[in-house]
Amino acid sequence: KAGVTQTPRYLIKTRGQQVTLSCSPISGHRSVSWYQQTPGQGLQFLFEYFSETQRNKGNFPGRFSGRQFSNSRSEMNVSTLELGDSALYLCASSLSGIPTSNSPLHFGNGTRLTVT
Amino acid sequence: KQEVTQIPAALSVPEGENLVLNCSFTDSAIYNLQWFRQDPGKGLTSLLLIQSSQREQTSGRLNASLDKSSGRSTLYIAASQPGDSATYLCAVMGLGSNTGKLIFGQGTTLQVKP
């Protein structure tokens, strides 16, 4: 069973540009959530999608957006990039969005975004 | 606002030692608490999940406990091995509108020396 796949693994962008990151969940998983990880702030929740609907959103500016497709794949977009957006972006999938011992959350290896 | 704190931030132990990692949270209205492991440059791997109604969970050499009333959880690692070297993160999932959203601690970076 394939794990959570995030593409690309690395990205280098310039301030002001926009970027799109992709996440393919484990087959059968309908929930995809996104997290930003930085050395200073640690892991912070961005948003969660279930069956193409955003169910929850973290405290990030409107430049951060996402969507989920009918096949459960998800994309997140960051517009007008700032230096502080440099981070590891992780996505996680689960069956329902509420993990259990028998159905835990599965994380991808992330996309490392560097903004110069 | 839920806040999660992990102590210590870093830990170095010789192989074979038993060790305890600590996690505390400020709001006891949680759905569950999870412990994850993160290797450098990689994603997170779920280790143990404790539902709010449970007191502990065990998997192999790992045991996690939860005291919801005092806002504390511990991860006990028995007979540590060099392969246990990683960053360990605890995270809580809240109730209601906060369900589906994990709040993470800053992690404890563990080094086990051969």
Side-chain angles (χ1 to χ4, degrees), chain A residues 9 35 37 40-43 45 48 56 88 90 97-101 104-105 107-109, chain B residues 31-32 34 36 38 41-44 46 49 51 89 93 97-102 104 106:
Chain A
R9 282 286 280 135
Y35 291 84
Q37 186 174 31
Q41 299 297 316
L43 274 151
F45 173 79
E48 189 241 350
N56 215 328
L88 180 66
L90 294 164
I98 301 176
T100 65
S101 296
L105 207 54
F107 278 82
N109 284 328
Chain B
Y31 193 88
N32 60 44
Q34 300 172 66
F36 294 90
Q38 186 175 31
K42 296 292 181 74
L44 279 64
S46 178
L49 182 151
Q51 300 289 2
L89 295 142
M93 182 170 284
S97 61
N98 290 317
T99 302
K101 163 182 168 181
L102 288 174
F104 282 88
Q106 293 281 35

Side-chain angles (χ1 to χ4, degrees), chain A residues 69-84:
Chain A
F69 301 96
S70 58
N71 62 358
S72 293
R73 190 177 71 85
S74 177
E75 289 181 346
M76 68 163 279
N77 184 276
V78 188
S79 62
T80 319
L81 284 165
E82 300 177 359
L83 295 178

